[in-house]
Amino acid sequence: MDNPCLPPHICHMDFDADIAIVGGGLNGPALALAMATAGQKVILIDALGVTVRKDAGFDGRSYALALTSTRLLEGIGVWERIAEHAQPMLEIKVTDGRAGEGPSPMFMHFDHAEIEEGPMGQMVEDRHLRRALLEAAKDTDGITQINGRRVVAQDIDPAGITLTLDDGQTVRTRLAVGADGRGTGTGARAGIKRVEWRYAQTALVCAIQHEEPHNGIAHQFFMPPGPLAILPLTGNRSSIVWSESERNAARIHALDDAGYLEVLRPRFGDFLGEISLAGARYTYPLGLSLAHQMVAARVALVGDAAHGMHPIAGQGLNAGLRDVAALAEVVADAARRGEDIGSEAALTRYQEWRRFDNASLALATDSFNRLFSNDNPLVRMARDVGMAAINALPGLRRGFIREAAGLTGDLPRLMRGKPI
């Protein structure tokens, strides 16, 4: 009876939870809900207090949620909380041109009627989505939230991982997930390196009230300094994501509201009538950031912690939610098989599923930004002809519509409308 306890997992059973998620923005709570749905016990840790994160004025962004992302939110019990605040995106119009000159006659037009599944996506304001995720997490058994605390250390052993918080508290789990953004401490502590660079662009973000109805149509207008996205919100309102050079953006943002609108109007155009600001204005520096690996020992990364990209296609959050759905499925399947959910084998399956797609999307957004954010006349002619060609070919156009709806690729069960 003097045999040592050889299997490490038999020696260490004092887990506080199955999974600890670091980061309480959007992907973190979504993953917590997905994991809890699959029967896992989760601790969700965020450096900010919950009151700050739920404040309606916390962030100026809205999100273009692809159809598959809304399926995920429905599967984790969040969509019913925000459906009344969502605006369906029925069409997307993509044009090229210069401010004040109007768009090129060559364009792309995507209509949801060309696919069978319904609207390509839904526009939802950050304030509604963030609050719904946090409230759903609060109401869900199996999720414990630790707010206002930072993780300062993480220690790996053969059986699990122990996180140390800035108040000295420790959290021991089988798996730690970094959902803590581009500056991820979770990834850095795990030794995961990143490739990243800044674009010489800043995004100006605001909401606009307009006279005429938008009819659920999203517009992407490419100009030499950067793209202008006009995205439909509920009522006669639209979300603006307007990319400019860093110097111009700083100058424009420093203007008063009247001056800001004076600069925006020739870019926006008059197709929606008179416009006015509907809320605060924000700016965000733009860049690309890609982790060399999405996993390390007992650690996985999701969302911006794994990949941050240009908002040119509005796919940042959608890519993060695909990570969430894929990781939750891998963990759920591993648990059903009796595997260690934080094992190298389980995490490798997650990385093999998501790494190539994320790298490809980051490369695509980088390439699109470089292609469209310039004023070279030959390049402009080539891209305009390319858009016109895509628009003229129904099969190719339908493929782009399905891509915008998130319906392509190897979809996790939650994004196919199936239980995890």
Side-chain angles (χ1 to χ4, degrees):
M1 300 294 99
D2 58 348
N3 291 335
C5 181
L6 294 177
H9 64 277
I10 295 177
C11 300
H12 301 278
M13 298 300 291
D14 53 334
F15 294 105
D16 299 299
D18 300 305
I19 301 150
I21 300 170
V22 183
L26 299 175
N27 291 307
L31 179 62
L33 288 161
M35 294 291 195
T37 300
Q40 302 298 311
K41 185 179 178 183
V42 183
I43 292 177
L44 179 62
I45 305 166
D46 195 79
L48 294 177
V50 68
T51 302
V52 175
R53 285 147 61 209
K54 289 172 66 175
D55 182 355
F58 173 72
D59 202 298
R61 290 175 292 184
S62 299
Y63 304 102
L65 294 172
L67 170 61
T68 48
S69 294
T70 64
R71 288 175 179 172
L72 180 149
L73 294 175
E74 186 173 3
I76 61 175
V78 171
W79 186 249
E80 62 191 27
R81 298 171 182 258
I82 59 173
E84 65 178 309
H85 301 296
Q87 168 62 50
M89 287 190 296
L90 305 178
E91 300 177 47
I92 300 174
K93 294 184 177 180
V94 183
T95 54
D96 185 20
R98 295 188 183 92
E101 296 183 7
S104 164
M106 292 180 279
F107 58 87
M108 291 188 293
H109 179 209
F110 304 139
D111 190 327
H112 81 289
E114 294 191 52
I115 60 174
E116 296 76 25
E117 288 84 356
M120 290 172 279
Q122 305 274 346
M123 282 298 302
V124 178
E125 294 173 60
D126 177 272
R127 56 178 176 157
H128 299 307
L129 180 57
R130 188 177 300 269
R131 183 182 297 113
L133 284 165
L134 291 173
E135 290 177 350
K138 180 181 177 182
D139 296 342
T140 300
D141 293 337
I143 300 176
T144 300
Q145 296 189 61
I146 300 176
N147 298 304
R149 299 266 69 96
R150 291 187 305 107
V151 177
V152 295
Q154 57 199 48
D155 299 297
I156 310 293
D157 61 61
I161 180 169
T162 301
L163 307 181
T164 302
L165 309 187
D166 57 4
D167 62 352
Q169 179 182 357
T170 60
V171 173
R172 180 168 170 73
T173 72
R174 293 176 171 85
L175 171 65
V177 180
D180 44 351
R182 297 192 188 197
T184 171
T186 307
R189 286 186 293 270
I192 298 175
K193 298 186 182 301
R194 309 178 72 82
V195 57
E196 50 191 332
W197 58 78
R198 286 280 299 275
Y199 299 113
Q201 293 174 316
T202 296
L204 297 135
V205 180
C206 64
I208 294 293
Q209 187 85 31
H210 40 78
E211 288 183 317
E212 302 297 330
H214 48 57
N215 297 317
I217 302 173
H219 297 264
Q220 184 93 333
F221 182 37
F222 289 106
M223 297 176 290
L228 169 68
I230 304 171
L231 306 169
L233 299 175
T234 53
N236 280 14
R237 298 180 305 137
S238 292
S239 173
I240 302 299
V241 184
W242 168 19
S243 300
E244 280 281 347
S245 67
E246 291 176 334
R247 179 178 296 180
N248 280 346
R251 177 183 60 81
I252 294 166
H253 188 63
L255 297 172
D256 60 17
D257 287 354
Y260 185 93
L261 286 170
E262 185 176 345
V263 178
L264 175 60
R265 281 191 182 98
R267 293 159 172 79
F268 191 99
D270 59 3
F271 69 104
L272 291 177
E274 185 58 38
I275 62 173
S276 59
L277 287 168
R281 299 184 271 131
Y282 300 83
T283 62
Y284 299 96
L286 299 178
L288 182 143
S289 177
L290 194 63
H292 289 183
Q293 304 288 331
M294 294 184 69
V295 301
R298 299 280 169 188
V299 169
L301 303 180
V302 299
D304 282 0
H307 45 81
M309 58 196 71
H310 197 286
I312 194 168
Q315 291 301 309
L317 179 58
N318 292 308
L321 292 176
R322 279 208 187 199
D323 296 343
V324 165
L327 181 58
E329 185 169 319
V330 166
V331 167
D333 288 347
R336 292 186 186 108
R337 288 191 292 263
E339 289 184 77
D340 177 353
I341 63 172
S343 68
E344 180 181 356
L347 296 184
T348 296
R349 289 195 290 272
Y350 164 64
Q351 174 162 268
E352 289 177 348
W353 192 350
R354 293 298 303 139
R355 188 182 179 196
F356 178 78
D357 283 350
N358 285 328
S360 298
L361 182 59
L363 178 62
T365 58
D366 181 72
S367 300
F368 288 152
N369 185 53
R370 294 177 190 276
L371 174 64
F372 284 96
S373 297
N374 69 74
D375 204 21
N376 182 297
L378 294 178
V379 173
R380 288 191 66 195
M381 180 180 295
R383 70 197 184 208
D384 287 356
V385 170
M387 287 196 294
I390 292 170
N391 200 61
L393 297 171
L396 190 56
R397 189 174 62 242
R398 179 182 166 87
F400 271 80
I401 294 170
R402 294 188 65 80
E403 183 73 32
L407 293 168
T408 59
D410 185 9
L411 293 175
R413 288 192 289 268
L414 281 171
M415 291 192 149
R416 288 184 275 127
K418 297 183 178 181
I420 193 170

